[in-house]
Structure formats: structure tokens, C-alpha cells
Amino acid sequence: MCFIACLFISVGIMLEYEKSGELKTKSIDLLDLGPSTDVSALVEEIQQAEPLITASRTEQVKLLIQRLQEKLGQHSNHTFYLFKVLRAHILPLTNVALNKSGSCFITGSYDRTCKLWDTASGEELNTLEGHRNVVYAVAFNNPYGDKIATGSFDKTCKLWSVETGQCYHTFRGHRAEIVCLSFNPQSTLVATGSMDTTAKLWNIQNGEEVLTLTGHSAEIVSLSFNTSGDRIMTGSFDHTVIVWDAGTGRKVHTLIGHCAEISSALFNWDCSLILTGSMDKTCMLWDATNGKCMATLTGHEDEILDSCFDYTGKLIATASADGTARIFSAATRKCIAKLEGHEGDISKISFNPQGNRLLTGSSDKTARIWDAQTGQCLQVLEGHTDEIFSCAFNYKGNIVITGSVEPRSWRLQ
């Protein structure tokens, strides 16, 4: 067994090592890390529990954890300013996605292309052409960020080089539109979800189909891998969520309880919990080990359009068509804050990596920054001329991308 590297991630470290010639990864969570944590004592504790971290790697690990600790205290009292307005697609956008560092981002469009942008300059770096219909789903293979996947209404997914714009593979096999996709954490697979009721896993090295996940009776609209990449979850308009073994395609759990279409489904960081949001106006919290429902989060008066965990898994945020968002404690399942101020549906919600801010995007043409503890609105990001359907923080939490008919980049000042 040969230790190769430590990859820095938002709430822990990912160990990358080689065993019997095969590259493997193992994650160590740092969910309780705070500004006052004794880093040296923490590293010593980790070393005792993890033999992969040898004495020669101690300083490297300590440096990584110190960097994470510094990030947890950054950007607490700053405001965002409009940095760039980008207009290049000839038809409206569908989705936006940032690479891990936030140095570049991608936009999908009804014009059948995906464009790659430099965040700092606003320069268009590449146009990825080749799809024959709407490019609807887009993603980087974070944390690596050297590949892009695009899913289209033309029933195909394409894999691209970030550096050259070359198309490595076109994945064919779905019988209807592809509406969601995701890379596994190891960047060896890309998963696609389709209106044909199936999800497929593809090998990004040779372009071959690895598995077809069959079991839903309606469109798959959400999919996500867990942190270790051995499980994948699909959410469907058939009101259910299925957890699959990513290696064999076997069904591990079928989560039954919602009485309307699923809008979101995701694991928390340590993969102990699953959060599902639904058009039935509720979110449900599930035990990921046995598939049992632990709680139903209620209070919204209209459909849940998006939901998320913070990076520690201690907080849950929900966004609704009723124009409000809510913050719940994952431990008590109680609502601790109600976010009010938007005048339209809230379609997207996400925490910043530090976990102290929330970002929402709405059909009222604004995005808002909120205090994650109090629910107070700290800033309204105005200027779009149409509804905001996509928004995201970068890894540092100092850049926000908001997507409408035209994308906008916002920076901290």
C-alpha cells in the first residue's frame, strides 16, 4: 500500500492511495472542526485512528487542516458586488456550474451548446458544440475539474476536456431526454438520469456503459453519489427515491413516503442521513443505513423545489414555491429560522462552504444572501431581468454565480 496524496475538501480530507496497483480513496470527516480547535491535537488523534497517515505526512495534513480552519472564519461580514454580466448564448440558459476553486464555470443553454467561462475576466474560454438539442444538465468532475459532462434533450451525454474542449465520449443509450447527471467522487464514473425512467452509469475512461438502474416508473429528476462513491441515489416523479449499490446496480433501499413528485434527494457528508424534498410540500429525513424515515419536515404551504444540508450535516435548508425558505436542525428536526422576503418561487438554495450563509434564487428575479443562524436577509442581489433558476457559491464562498437568461458573477468586497 502506497500513500500518494491528500486532497483538500470542504469538511474533511480525502486520502488518495494505491493498493495492488489500484487507485483508492478514503475520507476522514472534520465535522467538529472550528476556529478554536487545537489542530496539532486533532492531527495526533487522526494519526492514531488512521494508519495511512504516516509520520512523514503529518505536516502536510496539519497544513491542510489549518487551511480549512482559516476558511471557516472567512467572509463573515462582507457583501457581494456585481462583477460580470455575461451575454453570449443566443437562447436562454438552462443551468450553471462552478469548478471547485471557482476559477471557471459552465453554462448550458437551449442553443444546444455548453460554454466555459473564466470567472475572473468574464472571458469565454470554450464553446462545447455537438449536441442536437437543449443542453440541460452540466457538471464538472470536482474536485479535479479537468472534465465536463453535459446531458441533453437529444438523449445523449457528452464528456469533454476542460483544457482543450475536445469531446472524449458521447454516451448513447437513453431513450428520452437526460435531465440530471453527476460524477462520482473518484471521477471514474458519470451517472445520468433520464425521462425514460432509468439512470445509467458510464465509464469515463473507455466511454462504455457500466450499469443501467431500472426500477422507477416515472422520470428520474435527481441523482447523487454519496461521499465514498459506493452508493448512488435517484429521485423520481413516481414519488420514490431509490438507493443503489454503485458497483453492482443492486437496490439497497427504496424510500417510500412522499405522496407527490420528488424534487431533490441527497446524502449528508458522512452519508448517515438522506434528505428528500417533494412537491407534497414536505421534506423527509431518512436513516441511510436502514432506509427508514426518521422525520417529516413540514411548514411550507406549497411545493418544495430544493433542499440541502450544510457541509457538516447539522443544518437543513428547504426552498419552496410559497416564496419562503426554512432552516431546520438535523438533530432536533425543528425549524430554527424562516427566510422571508422573496416575492416568488424559490427554486434553488445552498449553504456557503463555511456554513454561515445561505444563497437563494427566485422567480422574482433576485438572489438573496441570508444569515444561516438567524434567517436574517443580509443582501439582495438585483439586476436580472428574468427568473433566477440556478445559483451557487464557489468553494471559498467569495464568489456567487446566478443564472437567468444571462449569467452574472458576484464577488465579495
Side-chain angles (χ1 to χ4, degrees), residues 275 281-285 295-300 304 306-310 312-320 324-339 349 351 358 372-373:
L275 178 66
K281 309 178 187 178
T282 73
C283 278
M284 299 183 81
L285 196 61
T296 300
L297 309 181
T298 61
H300 283 292
I304 301 285
D306 197 20
S307 60
C308 63
F309 287 103
D310 74 346
T312 67
K314 295 177 180 178
L315 296 177
I316 293 166
T318 59
S320 172
T324 72
R326 290 172 183 259
I327 304 171
F328 294 85
S329 164
T332 68
R333 289 82 157 177
K334 301 293 185 184
C335 179
I336 58 178
K338 185 178 180 182
L339 284 50
I349 190 165
F351 285 93
L358 268 167
Q373 293 298 322

Side-chain angles (χ1 to χ4, degrees), residues 211-352:
L211 289 170
T212 296
L213 307 179
T214 305
H216 284 293
S217 59
E219 302 95 318
I220 292 176
V221 294
S222 172
L223 58 78
S224 57
F225 285 93
N226 66 353
T227 310
S228 58
D230 63 339
R231 296 283 186 268
I232 184 171
M233 181 163 50
T234 55
S236 170
F237 274 8
D238 67 9
H239 308 178
T240 72
V241 172
I242 299 178
V243 181
W244 313 79
D245 184 301
T248 66
R250 176 181 63 88
K251 284 185 187 179
V252 179
H253 304 298
T254 300
L255 310 183
I256 300 173
H258 284 294
C259 55
E261 295 93 332
I262 302 297
S263 57
S264 61
L266 65 159
F267 293 92
N268 67 342
W269 194 82
D270 69 3
C271 307
S272 62
L273 299 173
I274 292 169
L275 178 66
T276 59
S278 170
M279 302 299 184
D280 66 10
K281 309 178 187 178
T282 73
C283 278
M284 299 183 81
L285 196 61
W286 310 77
D287 186 319
T289 59
N290 59 28
K292 292 183 178 179
C293 180
M294 303 170 65
T296 300
L297 309 181
T298 61
H300 283 292
E301 298 174 358
D302 208 335
E303 300 168 344
I304 301 285
L305 301 179
D306 197 20
S307 60
C308 63
F309 287 103
D310 74 346
Y311 286 84
T312 67
K314 295 177 180 178
L315 296 177
I316 293 166
T318 59
S320 172
D322 67 12
T324 72
R326 290 172 183 259
I327 304 171
F328 294 85
S329 164
T332 68
R333 289 82 157 177
K334 301 293 185 184
C335 179
I336 58 178
K338 185 178 180 182
L339 284 50
E340 297 179 286
H342 279 297
E343 297 177 357
D345 301 358
I346 302 176
S347 59
K348 288 292 179 181
I349 190 165
S350 60
F351 285 93
N352 68 347

Side-chain angles (χ1 to χ4, degrees), residues 18-52:
E18 188 176 299
K19 184 178 181 181
S20 304
E22 184 179 353
L23 197 62
K24 295 180 175 293
T25 60
K26 182 175 183 179
S27 59
I28 297 177
D29 74 67
L30 300 171
L31 301 182
D32 295 321
L33 180 67
S36 60
T37 301
D38 184 329
V39 173
S40 296
L42 178 59
V43 171
E44 185 176 335
E45 182 181 325
I46 293 172
Q47 271 189 302
Q48 291 174 356
E50 182 47 70
L52 283 174

